[in-house]
């Protein structure tokens, strides 16, 4: 099975900072990659699918890129409401594995 | 409004069984693959199982294969997860989640609120 890794596992940044999270697949998955945001105590929310397509209603400060094995999620200007754990997920074929998550908080 | 409503969670002893349900009003249920995802206390998300819109195709994580069975009743717009031979490590909040696009396994755009399963003696 394809394994998903994320880095860093956590980060602390200031409001307004540009934040980048990396997700890597152990084998190529084309662009079948999604990013989710889970705020503390809340249900996960789809942010990006097909590696770079912003889900409806998601602020434009979120963006995704990559294809094959290496992907990034970027928050162009970190806001207090972005404090959350972010997960990547592959969905090219089962199992639809999630990455271990990246916890983002405000410095 | 599209929403998913899980039920059926609770406390069960190791080796026991439980059936989770996910009611899915508000969209053409039979057109979409559905999934179960779980989250153990303080841990990350773990995909558990998926089923195609017709129910003909099912997938399972290795951790639950042979113990859990996913099914759906399209006439009742309801998804199920039958969990047998439960173990301590199955303790988690279980979410049902809808695939984004019709007729394919895709990213999960709608999630339920989750139902808590605790396996303990």
């Amino acid at each position: 099975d394809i394994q998903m890794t994320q880095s860093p596992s956590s980060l602390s940044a200031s409001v307004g900072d540009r934040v980048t999270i990396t997700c890597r697949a152990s084998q190529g998955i084309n662009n079948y990659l999604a990013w989710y945001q889970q705020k503390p105590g809340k249900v996960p929310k789809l942010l990006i699918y097909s590696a770079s397509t912003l889900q409806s209603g998601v602020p434009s400060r979120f963006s995704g890129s990559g294809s094959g094995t290496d992907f990034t999620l970027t928050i162009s200007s970190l806001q207090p409401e972005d404090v959350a754990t972010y997960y990547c997920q592959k969905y090219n074929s089962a199992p639809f594995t999630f990455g271990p998550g990246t916890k983002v908080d405000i410095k | 409004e599209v929403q998913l409503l899980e039920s059926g969670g609770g406390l069960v002893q190791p080796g026991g069984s439980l059936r989770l349900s996910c009611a899915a009003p508000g969209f053409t249920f039979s057109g979409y693959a559905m999934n179960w995802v779980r989250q153990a206390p303080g841990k990350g998300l773990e995909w558990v199982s998926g089923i195609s819109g017709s129910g003909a195709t099912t997938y399972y994580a290795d951790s639950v294969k042979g113990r859990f069975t996913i099914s759906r009743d399209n006439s009742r717009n309801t998804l199920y997860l039958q969990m047998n031979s439960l173990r301590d490590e199955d303790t988690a909040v279980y979410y049902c989640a809808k695939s984004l696009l019709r007729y394919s396994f895709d990213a999960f755009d709608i999630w339920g609120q989750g139902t808590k399963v605790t396996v303990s003696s």
Side-chain angles (χ1 to χ4, degrees), chain B:
Chain B
E1 180 188 356
V2 177
Q3 57 180 345
L4 300 174
L5 304 166
E6 300 101 334
S7 61
L11 175 64
V12 60
Q13 292 187 337
S17 298
L18 213 53
R19 188 176 84 154
L20 306 184
S21 299
C22 171
F27 66 100
T28 309
F29 182 67
S30 61
Y32 293 88
M34 297 292 295
N35 296 269
W36 289 98
V37 177
R38 69 184 181 185
Q39 188 167 35
K43 302 298 184 182
L45 302 173
E46 180 187 13
W47 173 80
V48 171
S49 184
I51 186 168
S52 62
S54 67
T57 301
T58 59
Y59 299 112
Y60 297 93
D62 286 346
S63 58
V64 306
K65 203 171 293 183
R67 300 187 299 123
F68 290 12
T69 302
I70 191 171
S71 62
R72 63 192 298 158
D73 184 341
N74 287 342
S75 68
R76 295 176 181 267
N77 283 15
T78 303
L79 174 72
Y80 302 101
L81 185 68
Q82 178 66 43
M83 305 186 295
N84 298 331
S85 303
L86 282 161
R87 305 167 179 167
D88 290 352
E89 55 265 34
D90 296 319
T91 293
V93 173
Y94 285 73
Y95 298 100
C96 61
K98 168 188 165 291
S99 283
L100 174 66
L101 298 180
R102 296 184 76 155
Y103 311 124
S104 68
F105 286 92
D106 209 282
F108 304 166
D109 67 331
I110 304 295
W111 295 63
Q113 288 300 305
T115 188
K116 188 174 180 180
V117 172
T118 303
V119 184
S120 175
S121 54

Side-chain angles (χ1 to χ4, degrees), chain A residues 39-51:
Chain A
K39 296 183 178 181
K42 300 297 185 182
V43 174
K45 173 186 174 182
L46 176 64
L47 295 178
I48 286 169
Y49 62 95
S50 298

Side-chain angles (χ1 to χ4, degrees), chain A:
Chain A
D1 292 345
I2 297 173
Q3 306 304 312
M4 305 299 292
T5 57
Q6 287 182 233
S7 61
S9 57
S10 65
L11 67 89
S12 186
S14 299
V15 172
D17 281 355
R18 183 181 185 88
V19 168
T20 299
I21 299 168
T22 297
C23 175
R24 178 164 290 172
S26 60
Q27 297 175 41
I29 58 171
N30 292 313
N31 67 336
Y32 294 99
L33 192 283
W35 289 97
Y36 300 87
Q37 175 194 63
Q38 187 178 31
K39 296 183 178 181
K42 300 297 185 182
V43 174
K45 173 186 174 182
L46 176 64
L47 295 178
I48 286 169
Y49 62 95
S50 298
S52 61
T53 303
L54 203 64
Q55 172 68 340
S56 175
V58 174
S60 59
R61 63 180 179 275
F62 292 93
S63 64
S65 65
S67 184
T69 60
D70 295 316
F71 303 88
T72 59
L73 172 70
T74 300
I75 309 173
S76 60
S77 176
L78 187 68
Q79 300 300 304
E81 60 267 32
D82 300 335
V83 169
T85 300
Y86 294 85
Y87 297 92
C88 62
Q89 181 206 21
K90 63 171 278 290
Y91 56 92
N92 61 313
S93 62
F96 305 124
T97 309
F98 290 90
T102 296
K103 188 173 182 180
V104 174
D105 63 26
I106 301 293
K107 192 181 295 181

